Amino acid sequence: MAFYSIGEVAERCGINPVTLRAWQRRYGLFKPQRSEGGHRQFDETDIQRIEEIKRWIQSGVPVGKVKSLLDENHPVEHDDWASQQEELMVVLRHARPAKLRAAIMAAGRQHPADAVIDRLILPVRQRLRLDQNTARAICSMLDGVLIDYAVTALAEARKKASKEALLIGWDCDDRTRLWLEAWRLSQQGWNIDVLAEPLDSPRPELFPGQRIFVWTGTALSLRQQEQLTHWQEQGFDIVSHGVLRLV
């Protein structure tokens, strides 16, 4: 079983380590194992739980009430996603883009976008990055298929969605994740256009009258929080998508 440090989990989940420690100490939302040196060690079940915590908080549930909601879930669901991750890893090892595309499409038909992204795709991408024996070409192949699928999903969503918005990557370098987040937003009723190249600083004045989502990939820094507030005070319809601020 693979274990991850708090820094690796923070990067993977887009949450500041300070927030993770607060969730554990203050609210008892999870209990990672400890190494002989006393360092936290997270496994896949811990990471799945953290993703669930994020979803509850992003849906408006106060963090103090999340634990009771989590305790109502059944562990079988975690086992099912773990098995699907293993199946996708097998497909990847065969390096067949057509089969990989079919597997992603099947998952997208069977489950909501949030679940596919958080419980299948992101864990598999993280495992590929941590596996030093995995060819870089395999990771690139997966990302290519994911972007292709996300583009198709966005096109389908445009036939139904009436709310238009622009998604901009802000000081981040994971372009594939940007397209996955666009797919996630499209399943929430948005007609999403993507600024494919992340920017050091978005310029909302270039897109007057548009709703803008910014994706940072990590918790907003103090500078980013202040800049976002400044833009909003100027009247721009700009919000941070999917990344939690510090507790």
Side-chain angles (χ1 to χ4, degrees), residues 200-213:
D200 292 337
S201 179
R203 296 182 60 189
E205 69 272 14
L206 297 178
F207 311 99
Q210 293 192 48
R211 159 58 70 97
I212 300 173
F213 291 102

Side-chain angles (χ1 to χ4, degrees), residues 163-175:
K163 304 181 296 181
E164 296 186 355
L166 179 67
L167 177 63
I168 301 176
W170 185 7
D171 201 18
C172 62
D173 57 8
D174 191 343
R175 291 166 177 77

Side-chain angles (χ1 to χ4, degrees), residues 42-53:
F42 297 81
D43 60 19
E44 289 294 338
T45 299
D46 294 322
I47 292 171
Q48 289 170 4
R49 188 174 178 90
I50 289 168
E51 294 292 354
E52 286 186 85
I53 295 166

